[in-house]
Amino acid sequence: MKNRILISVIFLFTLLGGTGLWYWQKNTYSKDVLKMEIIAPSTVNIGEEIEYIVKLKNNGEVRLEDPQLIFEFPAHSLPSDKDYALRRNIEGEQIGVGIYPGEEKIFKFRARLFGQEGDVKEARATISYRPKNLTAKYVSKTSFITVLNFVPLTFEFDTPLFPEAGKSFRFSLNYFSSVDFPLSDARIKIEYPSGFIFERSESKSLNNNEWAIPVLNKGEGRRIVVLGVLGGEVDQEKIFQAEFGIWVGGDYVPLKKTIKKIKIIEPLIYIDQMINGTKDYAASPGDLLHYQIIFRNIGDQPFQNLFLVVKLKGDVLDFSTLKSEEGEHGPGDNSIIWDSRKLSSLKFLDVGEEGEIDFWINVKKDIPMDVKNPTIESEIKIGQAKKQFITRLVSKIELAQSLMHDDEIFGSTGPLPLKVGQASNLTAIWRLKNYSNSLKNVKVRVVLADQARPTGQVNPQKLTFDQQTKELIWEIGDLPSGAGTNELLQIAFQLNVTPAFQQIGGPIVLFDQIRITGFDEWANKDINVVLPSLGTDVLGANGIVVQ
């Protein structure tokens, strides 16, 4: 009997425990049944529009009532809906009265992110809700990280690398936007190194180191120009820093920074060079070059017992022609030395005082054909000061002229020797060679004699003729270096020549004022090569006019 009572008690407790466990499980809720996630790009460029997608899904069997979603944009975002608040509350009709079992809801938020390259931007989402038949509220949270990948903004200093101590110099800060969005209310700030004295800015500034940029659209750029004086020790390194930023939602947000390191040099001796009286002289094959070297003490102390060395480099120079009245050089030597024993300005060069030396040397007439874009280098050293100059050579260009009668190209009619009042057809051939540099817009120009006119027979068809001025032009165009040296570059054309009575007993000058014109790209100089006249005397006795 006792055993039956014990078994009944145990059964009753087991039944009550199972019923209680079932009731507890039925009236509890796990937050894991509501899945919430943010979907967005993991990287984005500064200013590029990004879309955040917030997905909600009820994976449970109970309706989730009174839901409220809060979405928070990352710091320094610019929402696309023009509401600059970074927090969005989605509730009521926007989200509905509840989320049913198996139901999925999607919400989208768009914005542009601003900051510096590598900045981490975190978006957050929070949802609160109450499962049906429960009074407790539950909260779920999630977030998403986006890294700012690239700042499509060019922002660079343009400064001299070696400004002179205590001397005013100019530098600029260049900026250009490729951001696919107008940058409004931007600021540029420059941090100057110690010892820099601001003089003025060519761009309107808020103060000496800050500039306002109202709007900078995509594809637009400008520059800020500053003038100042930099003090410090010789060889001391100075660092300029600058920052480009914008105001977003009341916060100043840096977008890009740049730095520039420069080294101070002390101005001591000014050195300059002139060739044939010109600072930017472009030499030609066969030229006699007269060098003048000018030096001046621009320091604050006099110099004594100086020496000056000029070292020349260039395969186009004929060093056997090097001449100097006061400088010393050996046979075949490419250096000339002046010392204080022969030059008083080197013995004592006072503050502000100037001295000058000169020498002569020839450029070779024949430049090797394998030399392209030839130069002459001169390195000038006086005391510890040193300066180099580069002189460029104009390309050598040649025109060979010939005159024929009864040739294989066009043939001929008319008498030979030439006779007064009777027309004879002659063929002129020009062959052109360009050696070292590329040339643009090359033309050969001549003035025809009154007794000659073109017949229209020409090969190739690149000839023009002005009947009023009698100018005949071969329109060649652009020529690469070496044109005509390996392949044939020529034109052939026929002339009708009718001698006049006063020309009896002599030849006729057919071409006068012959010249080659164009532009030498390497030497950055117009070319104008004058050639001797061409007459019928090249035909020998047949070119002499008879009656």
Side-chain angles (χ1 to χ4, degrees):
M1 185 68 180
K2 290 182 178 179
N3 289 338
R4 286 182 179 180
I5 293 173
L6 179 62
I7 291 172
S8 297
V9 171
I10 293 172
F11 176 76
L12 181 61
F13 274 103
T14 302
L15 181 62
L16 291 173
T19 303
L21 178 63
W22 174 82
Y23 182 81
W24 177 81
Q25 288 178 335
K26 187 170 182 65
N27 287 274
T28 59
Y29 178 78
S30 172
K31 292 191 293 183
D32 294 338
V33 301
L34 176 63
K35 182 181 179 182
M36 180 171 63
E37 62 177 335
I38 300 175
I39 301 172
S42 59
T43 61
V44 68
N45 292 339
I46 280 74
E48 182 181 349
E49 191 174 50
I50 183 174
E51 182 177 70
Y52 291 97
I53 300 175
V54 179
K55 283 188 176 183
L56 306 173
K57 186 173 183 182
N58 184 356
N59 292 320
E61 299 177 355
V62 177
R63 187 178 72 179
L64 307 179
E65 299 179 335
D66 301 326
Q68 182 182 15
L69 173 66
I70 297 174
F71 179 78
E72 296 178 85
F73 289 103
H76 305 143
S77 299
L78 194 60
S80 299
D81 59 7
K82 307 301 182 183
D83 182 354
Y84 297 140
L86 299 184
R87 182 186 177 103
R88 299 288 185 272
N89 292 325
I90 310 299
E91 56 187 348
E93 293 182 359
Q94 290 179 292
I95 194 170
V97 295
I99 305 174
Y100 290 87
E103 184 180 7
E104 182 178 80
K105 291 180 180 289
I106 295 177
F107 302 91
K108 298 179 180 181
F109 308 90
R110 301 177 72 87
R112 298 178 189 272
L113 308 185
F114 294 94
Q116 298 184 71
E117 187 174 311
D119 282 359
V120 174
K121 297 293 183 177
E122 183 179 19
R124 299 184 182 91
T126 304
I127 187 168
S128 62
Y129 54 90
R130 180 177 56 80
K132 184 180 180 182
N133 297 326
L134 293 181
T135 58
K137 274 223 168 188
Y138 288 81
V139 176
S140 297
K141 298 181 179 181
T142 191
S143 64
F144 188 88
I145 296 295
T146 297
V147 178
L148 298 186
N149 180 47
F150 176 64
V151 181
L153 184 70
T154 302
F155 187 54
E156 295 177 348
F157 278 108
D158 183 5
T159 69
L161 291 177
F162 305 105
E164 298 175 355
K167 185 177 180 180
S168 180
F169 76 103
R170 165 181 171 157
F171 71 89
S172 64
L173 186 60
N174 304 330
Y175 57 96
F176 178 84
S177 175
S178 296
V179 179
D180 194 20
F181 185 75
L183 300 177
S184 301
D185 201 12
R187 292 289 188 275
I188 289 179
K189 300 177 182 179
I190 299 179
E191 183 179 336
Y192 304 115
S194 61
F196 180 80
I197 301 174
F198 177 91
E199 291 183 330
R200 63 185 176 89
S201 171
E202 294 181 2
S203 311
K204 186 178 180 181
S205 61
L206 299 176
N207 49 53
N208 290 350
N209 70 330
E210 186 173 357
W211 290 260
I213 314 298
V215 178
L216 183 63
N217 295 305
K218 182 178 181 181
E220 291 182 349
R222 301 179 188 90
R223 67 177 53 186
I224 291 171
V225 180
V226 174
L227 284 83
V229 176
L230 187 59
E233 300 295 327
V234 175
D235 293 332
Q236 185 179 7
E237 191 174 71
K238 298 286 186 176
I239 299 176
F240 287 79
Q241 302 182 64
E243 180 179 273
F244 187 103
I246 60 173
W247 289 93
V248 179
D251 293 332
Y252 173 75
V253 184
L255 299 186
K256 200 156 190 177
K257 296 182 179 180
T258 186
I259 66 171
K260 185 75 170 186
K261 296 179 180 180
I262 60 178
K263 186 176 287 188
I264 296 176
I265 61 170
E266 183 178 359
L268 296 174
I269 298 180
Y270 168 82
I271 301 172
D272 204 357
Q273 168 184 289
M274 296 180 69
I275 299 177
N276 293 349
T278 305
K279 285 189 176 184
D280 57 350
Y281 186 77
S284 299
D287 273 1
L288 172 62
L289 305 181
H290 177 207
Y291 278 81
Q292 294 169 278
I293 309 301
I294 299 99
F295 52 94
R296 183 168 60 250
N297 182 357
I298 55 175
D300 55 5
Q301 297 292 328
F303 290 97
Q304 299 183 54
N305 301 320
L306 293 170
F307 64 90
L308 188 151
V309 179
V310 176
K311 187 175 183 179
L312 298 172
K313 296 180 182 179
D315 295 333
V316 299
L317 290 176
D318 183 357
F319 286 100
S320 66
T321 64
L322 182 58
K323 296 178 181 179
S324 173
E325 295 178 356
E326 298 170 321
E328 298 179 358
H329 64 94
D333 193 1
N334 64 343
S335 295
I336 317 170
I337 300 174
W338 291 261
D339 62 33
S340 56
R341 294 174 299 173
K342 294 185 178 180
L343 206 60
S344 60
S345 57
L346 294 177
K347 188 172 184 64
F348 185 86
L349 188 65
D350 204 353
V351 175
E353 192 174 53
E354 184 177 282
E356 181 180 326
I357 58 94
D358 62 352
F359 62 92
W360 293 260
I361 191 169
N362 282 98
V363 181
K364 294 177 181 177
K365 292 182 179 180
D366 297 318
I367 308 298
M369 291 182 59
D370 59 345
V371 177
K372 306 300 181 186
N373 299 332
T375 60
I376 300 169
E377 297 181 30
S378 54
E379 181 184 272
I380 303 166
K381 185 175 181 181
I382 177 169
Q384 299 301 312
K386 184 169 65 174
K387 192 168 183 180
Q388 288 184 319
F389 296 89
I390 302 294
T391 301
R392 299 187 177 193
L393 259 69
V394 176
S395 184
K396 180 181 179 181
I397 187 167
E398 295 178 341
L399 181 71
Q401 305 181 82
S402 59
L403 195 64
M404 293 184 292
H405 179 267
D406 197 19
D407 57 277
E408 296 179 354
I409 302 175
F410 302 122
S412 294
T413 60
L416 200 71
L418 301 175
K419 291 187 178 182
V420 173
Q422 297 187 34
S424 297
N425 288 341
L426 302 177
T427 297
I429 298 177
W430 286 338
R431 291 190 176 96
L432 193 71
K433 291 183 180 180
N434 174 43
Y435 287 87
S436 55
N437 308 341
S438 295
L439 304 179
K440 304 278 288 184
N441 195 28
V442 179
K443 299 177 182 180
V444 178
R445 303 169 179 268
V446 301
V447 176
L448 278 184
D450 291 337
Q451 292 76 29
R453 61 176 180 82
T455 66
Q457 295 277 42
V458 57
N459 185 28
Q461 195 72 36
K462 290 189 175 183
L463 205 67
T464 63
F465 179 64
D466 187 328
Q467 292 182 345
Q468 291 184 342
T469 63
K470 301 286 288 185
E471 186 178 42
L472 191 71
I473 301 176
W474 178 16
E475 301 274 358
I476 302 170
D478 298 345
L479 287 181
S481 60
T485 57
N486 295 318
E487 78 289 351
L488 198 61
L489 177 61
Q490 75 168 28
I491 188 171
F493 55 95
Q494 192 179 64
L495 296 173
N496 183 282
V497 181
T498 305
F501 180 80
Q502 60 269 27
Q503 293 170 324
I504 295 175
I508 301 173
V509 177
L510 295 177
F511 299 156
D512 198 10
Q513 303 177 36
I514 308 175
R515 55 196 177 100
I516 307 171
T517 62
F519 181 77
D520 191 313
E521 291 186 298
W522 171 247
N524 192 31
K525 182 180 179 181
D526 291 323
I527 58 173
N528 185 23
V529 180
V530 179
L531 301 171
S533 301
L534 178 69
T536 59
D537 53 331
V538 297
L539 298 174
N542 290 329
I544 305 301
V545 179
V546 298
Q547 190 165 4

